[in-house]
């Protein structure tokens, strides 16, 4: 690999540890044919901050020589693939990028490192026996490798050695990889507890360098820690311009803010939480425009395409130009915010608060702590629904429904935090609150869609068929909004019935 532009490759991989005396079972009888094996020697230098911020987040950055994909590899967690196997996105650059971390990859990691320097943390050499499994047409289905690994972790004397197997699902359905995994399990070969070679090496060299979340991690701390991780990983996606990353980041920021607002006073962190809430609100506002453009572009493109008569494509083109302009400006605003010291300071402050909750003086939520905050949030939703009913005009009514939506979302996130304390009750409440949020979200999307249609109609030439098409779309969105309002009272009653048991 010799390119100078980053290339992204999906990866779904299962790792196994080979104990003394164990070996890779033969590939006979598999639903795929094994090509002749190849042998490679891979040498890799791994980079991280001195306090291992990448590794703690499940991210790795390495420069590897040898093998068919030699180059720089940035691996980012991407949920799970087929069969529940860990999925990652691998961003690659060629070796020509240099011997130190390449600037394009360093920039992607700004939110993770908070501009702390990336330094060498380990050197790992791998003797790899690689087998590719193909179908009858010669198309790759899976890859299985047996690795003999030698690792030297910076600052620790001596080298570690171990053997492991990696099974990679190439096509994404997991079928061949599942058969391989079952065969390995039958041979007594166990899944690795480490998600990467670097994690294995660092854990063995210094177990305290990677403190796992405690088995009895506090409810609030665990929630805040996970959402902070989601926020930072979504940041990498936003910088890569990955679809839905802005949405994931905004959702994590809202969850953090809602959890702090509801429960920080309970654990004695009200003053610190107030400042963090303000900063999270600022971040959410910076993300909102980009997310609205993302949602509305797709929504209105589909609506207008269904309305426009054959031969009258000017309305879709008008909307496309409108959203192109706004999308470019919104992305610039988001990236500027993520590059700011204000944002990086917010990440540091959130990390410090999460750490303090785990300290000797940290306090976390108990079952009796959640009832009062949930009662307060429930009353707020009910009160705002009364404002909807009392609104004197459509514009005031729409604004009141939006306030209901924000209050209901805060309630939903507060229940989400409390779920481990009362799983069954909270699970039932969350199901109804999800239904309510879907209703309110559809209402809000329809209202925002009308605003965009009005703006699009107000710029450029929108006479004739274009103006007519946009006008019809506007009326359809009005109908969607009215239908949601009509269901709002009933939706809240159903949700309230499930939330009340948590309020006592």
């Amino acid at each position: 690999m010799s390119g100078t532009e980053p290339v992204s490759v999906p990866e779904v991989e299962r790792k196994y540890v080979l104990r003394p005396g164990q070996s890779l079972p033969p590939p006979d009888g598999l639903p795929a044919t094994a090509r002749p094996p190849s042998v490679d020697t891979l040498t890799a230098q791994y980079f991280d901050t001195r306090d291992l911020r990448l590794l703690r987040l499940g991210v790795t950055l390495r420069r590897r020589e040898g093998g068919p994909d030699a180059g720089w590899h940035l691996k980012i967690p991407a949920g799970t693939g087929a069969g529940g196997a860990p999925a990652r996105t691998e961003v690659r650059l060629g070796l020509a990028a240099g011997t130190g971390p390449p600037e394009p990859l360093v920039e992607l990691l700004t939110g993770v490192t908070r501009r702390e320097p990336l330094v060498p943390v380990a050197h790992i050499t791998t003797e790899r026996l690689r087998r590719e499994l193909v179908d009858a047409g010669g198309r790759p289905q899976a890859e299985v490798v047996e690795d003999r690994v030698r690792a030297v972790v910076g600052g620790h004397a001596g080298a570690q050695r171990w053997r492991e197997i990696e099974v990679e699902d190439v096509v994404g359905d997991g079928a061949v990889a599942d058969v391989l995994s079952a065969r390995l399990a039958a041979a007594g070969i166990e899944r690795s507890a480490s998600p990467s070679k670097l994690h294995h090496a660092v854990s063995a060299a210094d177990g305290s360098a990677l403190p796992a979340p405690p088995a009895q991690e506090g409810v609030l701390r665990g929630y805040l820690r996970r959402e902070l991780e989601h926020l930072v990983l979504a940041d990498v996606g936003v910088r890569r311009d990955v679809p839905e990353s802005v949405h994931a980041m905004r959702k994590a920021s809202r969850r953090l803010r809602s959890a702090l607002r509801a429960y920080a006073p309970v654990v004695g962190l009200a003053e610190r939480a107030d400042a963090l809430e303000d900063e999270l609100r600022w971040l959410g506002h910076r993300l909102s425009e980009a997310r609205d453009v993302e949602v509305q572009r797709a929504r209105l493109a589909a609506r207008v395409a269904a309305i426009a008569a054959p031969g009258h494509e000017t309305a879709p083109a008008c909307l496309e130009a409108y959203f192109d302009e706004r999308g470019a400006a919104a992305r610039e605003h988001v990236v500027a915010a993520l590059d700011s010291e204000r944002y990086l300071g917010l990440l540091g402050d959130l990390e410090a608060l999460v750490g303090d909750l785990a300290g000797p003086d940290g306090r976390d939520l108990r079952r009796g702590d959640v009832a009062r905050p949930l009662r307060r949030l429930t009353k707020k939703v009910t009160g705002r629904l009364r404002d909807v009913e009392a609104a004197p005009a459509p514009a005031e009514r729409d604004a009141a429904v939006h306030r209901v939506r924000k209050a209901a979302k805060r309630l939903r996130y507060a229940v989400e935090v409390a779920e481990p304390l009362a799983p069954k009750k909270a699970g039932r409440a969350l199901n109804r609150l999800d239904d309510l949020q879907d209703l309110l979200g559809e209402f809000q999307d329809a209202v925002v869609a009308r605003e965009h249609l009005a703006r699009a109609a107000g710029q450029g030439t929108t006479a004739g068929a274009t103006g007519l098409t946009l006008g019809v779309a506007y009326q359809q969105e009005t109908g969607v909004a009215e239908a949601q309002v009509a269901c709002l009272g009933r939706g809240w009653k159903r949700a309230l019935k499930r939330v009340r048991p948590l309020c006592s």
Side-chain angles (χ1 to χ4, degrees):
M1 185 173 59
S2 59
T4 57
E5 292 296 323
V7 175
S8 297
V9 180
E11 177 184 85
V12 180
E13 190 176 79
R14 313 174 200 198
K15 297 174 73 68
Y16 301 82
V17 176
L18 282 169
R19 309 297 179 192
Q22 291 182 325
S23 60
L24 182 65
D28 306 331
L30 292 171
T33 302
R35 284 180 170 164
S38 62
V39 179
D40 291 302
T41 298
L42 315 174
T43 60
Q45 186 80 56
Y46 285 78
F47 292 80
D48 207 328
T49 60
R50 286 183 173 82
D51 57 356
L52 302 178
R53 293 180 187 178
L54 274 65
L55 194 55
R56 291 170 185 268
L57 202 60
V59 175
T60 55
L61 175 64
R62 73 186 178 203
R63 184 183 189 273
R64 188 165 76 183
E65 297 184 18
D69 63 344
W72 283 94
H73 303 156
L74 171 61
K75 297 195 176 193
I76 308 159
T80 56
R88 294 185 291 186
T89 298
E90 186 171 281
V91 183
R92 298 175 178 174
L93 272 176
L95 290 173
T99 57
E103 192 59 30
L105 301 185
V106 173
E107 289 178 357
L108 291 180
L109 292 170
T110 301
V112 181
T113 65
R114 304 200 300 276
R115 298 202 174 99
E116 285 295 310
L118 291 163
V119 298
V121 294
H123 188 276
I124 297 180
T125 302
T126 303
E127 299 293 333
R128 170 164 289 180
L129 177 68
R130 173 177 173 268
R131 290 187 178 89
E132 188 177 41
L133 303 174
V134 299
D135 64 11
R139 293 177 290 270
Q141 301 296 298
E143 181 179 283
V144 57
V145 303
E146 182 177 354
D147 289 339
R148 295 179 179 271
V149 187
R150 179 181 183 275
V152 177
V153 177
H156 295 272
Q160 304 166 38
R161 287 180 170 83
W162 72 91
R163 296 163 59 227
E164 67 180 35
I165 292 171
E166 294 180 358
V167 176
E168 183 173 354
D169 175 21
V170 176
V171 295
D173 64 4
V176 175
D178 284 347
V179 175
L180 280 166
S181 297
R183 183 168 294 188
L184 292 171
I189 299 172
E190 299 177 350
R191 293 286 287 267
S192 174
S194 293
S196 67
K197 289 180 173 64
L198 179 61
H199 189 283
H200 182 117
V202 172
S203 297
D206 183 3
S208 65
L210 283 174
Q216 300 299 322
E217 182 177 37
V219 170
L220 180 59
R221 180 184 187 271
Y223 187 89
L224 294 173
R225 177 185 57 78
R226 289 188 297 272
E227 291 309 318
L228 179 54
E229 290 177 356
H230 294 159
L231 181 75
V232 175
L233 288 174
D235 169 312
V236 180
V238 171
R239 293 174 193 275
R240 293 176 53 229
D241 206 12
V242 175
E244 296 299 309
S245 293
V246 170
H247 175 53
M249 194 171 186
R250 187 169 68 158
K251 185 164 64 174
S253 70
R254 283 176 167 171
R255 282 177 160 148
L256 286 163
R257 185 155 62 96
S258 295
L260 289 171
R261 175 177 291 187
Y263 299 118
V266 177
V267 296
L269 294 173
E271 187 173 341
R272 288 175 67 182
D274 285 345
L276 287 171
E277 282 183 57
D278 289 342
E279 294 302 282
L280 286 165
R281 184 182 297 107
W282 163 80
L283 176 61
H285 288 162
R286 293 299 179 274
L287 296 167
S288 292
E289 183 182 2
R291 176 57 181 167
D292 284 345
V293 168
E294 193 174 61
V295 169
Q296 294 298 331
R297 182 194 289 270
R299 180 187 184 96
L300 292 178
R303 187 172 296 288
V304 168
I307 297 169
H312 294 284
E313 288 80 20
T314 52
C318 171
L319 277 178
E320 190 67 18
Y322 168 84
F323 282 118
D324 279 347
E325 179 181 346
R326 277 153 183 78
R331 174 161 177 78
E332 285 183 11
H333 294 158
V334 168
V335 173
L338 299 192
D339 284 340
S340 70
E341 292 301 322
R342 181 176 183 177
Y343 166 69
L344 299 181
L346 167 62
L347 295 181
D349 291 343
L350 286 167
E351 183 179 75
L353 183 141
V354 170
D356 288 347
L357 281 172
D361 298 326
R363 181 184 182 283
D364 214 284
L365 296 180
R366 296 184 287 266
R367 177 65 182 88
D369 293 330
V370 303
R372 185 175 179 181
L374 292 181
R375 283 198 300 270
R376 177 177 56 81
L377 289 167
T378 299
K379 289 178 181 178
K380 183 165 287 189
V381 177
T382 300
R384 291 187 177 185
L385 270 168
R386 294 194 190 102
D387 294 339
V388 173
E389 297 167 357
E396 286 83 353
R397 191 279 313 270
D398 289 354
V401 175
H402 182 49
R403 288 193 291 273
V404 171
R405 175 174 173 261
K406 291 194 291 185
K409 188 169 289 190
R410 285 196 289 269
L411 173 61
R412 191 221 178 279
Y413 292 150
V415 172
E416 199 174 70
V417 175
E419 187 174 12
L421 299 171
K424 291 184 179 179
K425 292 179 180 179
R428 289 191 287 265
L430 287 171
N431 287 337
R432 290 302 188 188
L433 287 168
D434 283 344
D435 294 340
L436 179 65
Q437 204 59 56
D438 287 344
L439 184 156
L440 289 163
E442 182 66 6
F443 168 85
Q444 185 64 17
D445 285 347
V447 171
V448 174
R450 290 188 311 187
E451 294 172 359
H452 283 296
L453 287 166
R455 292 192 195 113
Q459 70 176 37
T461 303
T462 55
T466 297
L468 178 61
T469 300
L470 297 181
V472 171
Y474 187 98
Q475 292 304 317
Q476 289 183 352
E477 294 290 358
T478 298
V480 169
E482 294 303 317
Q484 309 314 306
V485 173
C487 299
L488 183 53
R490 184 168 66 253
W492 172 235
K493 286 180 181 177
R494 291 175 175 173
L496 182 58
K497 181 180 178 181
R498 295 302 189 184
V499 173
R500 276 178 174 152
L502 293 166
C503 297
S504 57

